[in-house]
């Protein structure tokens, strides 16, 4: 049976948590493959609302095994507090598995993330300040600390020493901060080791064996396509690969195993942090999208920048991820607009451009070319099938599908699990 990837098709916050949770009851494993607690995934079950950062959204489905893959960066203090928060609310987290190869977000990398941003001043990325970038940088520089290192004090000490040799020079000489003591970091990390130990597993082996036994594995992306380090709006990106290929490297599963790639697509567009955003609105429409859509960051509490739907981006997401389906979310938020503009192409220096330009300069100059679609005013939150939607809402969905290059197989009409219209089954 299949491995499915579910990922963000825009700049994150498309509603991946809700979509994952929805499928969680029917799959055997839900796997995070990249990112860390920079993610903020909201899941609403009945009258209960959960905000997950590091844990896979499948953790809320009792039958499903949640997995943190090797490609994820793990802040141990966040992990333990998220687990105990869920336990206090009666959620059983005992099935969780964490790759021994996942990298640890150390306290010094949280510091480096924050001071680097401060140092960048006007050029800052607007990171979440969770230490994500510096931890992936250490991984690539081969001075990272991995989960398995917590179980060998001597190796841990040597590795922390190696990392801090350089970091302390930077912190003290460049950023005018105090040096961090090796012993303090080692002691803190060792303090987490025993609590994390029961979850540590050879997740690559477990997942591949599961697939051989016809189990269903769902890979849950954090962030989104345009935040991808390779395919996003670099340098205004995160430091990992949320795109579909990241699921293979970040979980140790071959591309031949993946049968379906679902792009989560908001019916309009949002972005948190700095960087280009062609359809961004600075008027009352943008304000209304923010208010009605509740567009405030789950992780940092920042207001999200809001704009109209951008079909150029959706087409790009289809291409770089090999999307087989879209899950269109938050259609209900658009109820009440008489006319809804949709960006179908860009104008760059007087030229009409249909596809995302590879050049950063061009993208920064891209102006949206809009087509306007008629809106609807009827409440759609109770719609259970496509035919329950008002004609104009149906036409909006069909138009987006045509422009975006993959079938829309589900539509979100509210934050709750049951506020979803299923068109084609994902399983
Ligand atoms: P994620 O990071 O992709 O998981 O998305 P977030 O949780 O950061 O943001 C999505 C927000 O939209 C959350 O508050 C969800 O509860 C909410 N949401 C998801 N799908 C829908 C939908 O179809 N309609 C409405 N109104 N809200 C939704
Ligand atoms: P979910 O999974 C939206 C953004 C940050 C910043 C950039 C780099 O909830 O969709 P980082 O801390 O990762 O180095 O920050 O990426 N960013 C997100 N934006 N949703 C997210 O996650 C994000 N995770 C990171 O705002 O612009
Ligand atoms: Mg989010």
């Amino acid at each position: 049976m299949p491995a499915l990837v579910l990922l963000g098709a825009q700049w994150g916050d498309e509603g991946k948590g809700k979509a994952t949770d929805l499928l969680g009851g029917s799959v055997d494993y839900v796997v995070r493959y990249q990112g860390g607690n920079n993610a903020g995934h909201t899941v609403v079950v009945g009258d209960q609302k959960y905000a997950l950062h590091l844990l896979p959204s499948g953790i809320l489905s009792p039958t499903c095994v949640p997995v943190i893959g090797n490609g994820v960066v793990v802040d141990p203090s966040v992990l333990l507090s998220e687990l105990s928060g869920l336990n206090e609310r009666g959620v059983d987290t005992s099935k969780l598995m964490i790759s021994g190869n996942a990298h640890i977000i150390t306290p010094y990398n949280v510091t480096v993330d924050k001071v680097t941003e401060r140092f960048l001043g006007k050029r800052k990325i607007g990171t979440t300040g969770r230490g994500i970038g510096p931890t992936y940088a250490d991984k690539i520089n081969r001075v990272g600390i991995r989960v398995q290192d917590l179980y060998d004090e001597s190796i841990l000490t040597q590795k922390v020493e190696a990392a801090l040799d350089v970091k302390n020079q930077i912190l003290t000489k460049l950023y005018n901060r105090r040096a961090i003591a090796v012993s303090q970091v080692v002691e803190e990390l060792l303090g987490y080791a025993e609590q994390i130990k029961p979850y540590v597993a050879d997740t690559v082996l477990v997942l591949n064996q599961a697939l051989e036994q016809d189990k269903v594995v769902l890979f849950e992306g954090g962030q989104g396509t345009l935040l991808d380090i390779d395919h996003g709006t670099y340098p205004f990106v995160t430091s990992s690969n949320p795109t579909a290929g990241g699921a293979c490297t970040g979980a140790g599963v071959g591309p031949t195993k993946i049968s379906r790639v679902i792009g989560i697509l908001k019916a309009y567009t949002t972005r948190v942090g700095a960087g280009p955003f062609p359809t961004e609105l600075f008027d009352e429409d943008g304000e209304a999208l923010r208010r009605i859509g509740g567009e405030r960051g789950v992780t940092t509490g920042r207001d999200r920048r809001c704009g109209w739907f951008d079909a150029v981006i959706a087409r790009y997401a289809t291409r770089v991820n090999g999307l087989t389906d879209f899950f269109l979310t938050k259609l209900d938020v658009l109820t009440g607009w008489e006319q809804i503009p949709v960006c179908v192409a860009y104008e760059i220096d007087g030229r009409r451009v249909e596809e995302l330009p590879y050049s950063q300069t061009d993208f920064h100059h891209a102006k949206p070319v809009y087509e306007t679609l008629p809106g609807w005013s009827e409440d759609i939150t109770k719609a259970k099938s496509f035919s329950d939607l008002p004609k104009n809402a149906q036409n909006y969905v069909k138009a987006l599908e045509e422009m975006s290059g993959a079938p829309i197989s589900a539509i979100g009409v509210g934050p709750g699990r049951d506020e979803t219209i299923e068109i084609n089954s994902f399983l």
Side-chain angles (χ1 to χ4, degrees), residues 13 40-41 304:
D13 302 324
H41 298 169
R304 293 175 182 155

Side-chain angles (χ1 to χ4, degrees), residues 6-8 12-20 38-44 49-52 57 220-223 264 266 268 270 292-299 304 327-333 381 411-416 419-420:
L6 189 157
L7 52 80
D13 302 324
E14 298 90 349
K16 299 177 291 293
K18 173 191 155 168
T20 303
N38 48 348
H41 298 169
T42 319
V43 180
V44 180
K49 187 169 169 175
Y50 300 88
L52 301 167
S57 304
E220 178 192 20
Q223 293 75 54
I264 312 303
K266 213 181 271 193
Y268 50 98
T270 63
I292 302 166
E295 297 297 351
R296 181 176 282 262
V298 184
T299 300
R304 293 175 182 155
F327 188 140
L328 186 71
T329 60
K330 304 190 95 161
L331 186 65
D332 53 300
V333 174
T381 56
I411 304 169
V413 291
E419 291 171 308
T420 307

Side-chain angles (χ1 to χ4, degrees), residues 36-37 54 72-81 103-107 110 130-131 188-189 192 196:
N37 57 307
L54 174 61
V72 176
V73 287
V74 178
D75 184 325
S77 67
V78 171
L79 172 72
L80 294 174
S81 73
H103 280 245
I104 296 273
I105 301 180
T106 55
V110 177
R130 301 299 192 261
E188 179 177 337
L189 294 179
Y192 302 124
I196 294 177

Side-chain angles (χ1 to χ4, degrees), residues 33-34 69-72 99 101 139 204 219 240-255 258:
Y33 56 88
Q34 49 67 238
N70 55 276
V72 176
S99 165
N101 287 350
K139 173 177 177 177
V204 173
F219 297 94
S240 66
N241 287 118
T243 47
C248 296
T249 47
V253 167
I258 291 171

Side-chain angles (χ1 to χ4, degrees), residues 265-277:
L265 188 68
K266 213 181 271 193
Y268 50 98
T269 315
T270 63
R271 173 164 205 170
V272 199
F277 178 1

Side-chain angles (χ1 to χ4, degrees), residues 337-414:
W337 266 276
E338 263 176 45
Q339 302 284 328
I340 310 173
V342 170
C343 168
V344 293
Y346 299 142
E347 190 194 298
I348 304 172
D349 299 330
R351 284 173 300 126
R352 185 184 164 105
V353 175
E354 306 277 340
E355 302 299 343
L356 198 86
Y358 72 84
S359 141
Q360 185 185 348
T361 313
D362 280 353
F363 193 56
H364 279 257
H365 291 130
K367 294 197 184 69
V369 175
Y370 284 118
E371 249 174 42
T372 302
L373 302 173
W376 60 92
S377 55
E378 301 88 333
D379 175 19
I380 62 167
T381 56
K382 305 282 178 299
K384 293 283 168 243
S385 71
F386 189 69
S387 57
D388 292 342
L389 292 174
K391 227 26 302 98
N392 285 350
Q394 292 186 13
N395 289 340
Y396 184 81
V397 173
K398 283 190 206 147
L400 262 48
E401 181 173 81
E402 204 162 295
M403 293 170 197
S404 304
I408 292 175
S409 295
I411 304 169
V413 291

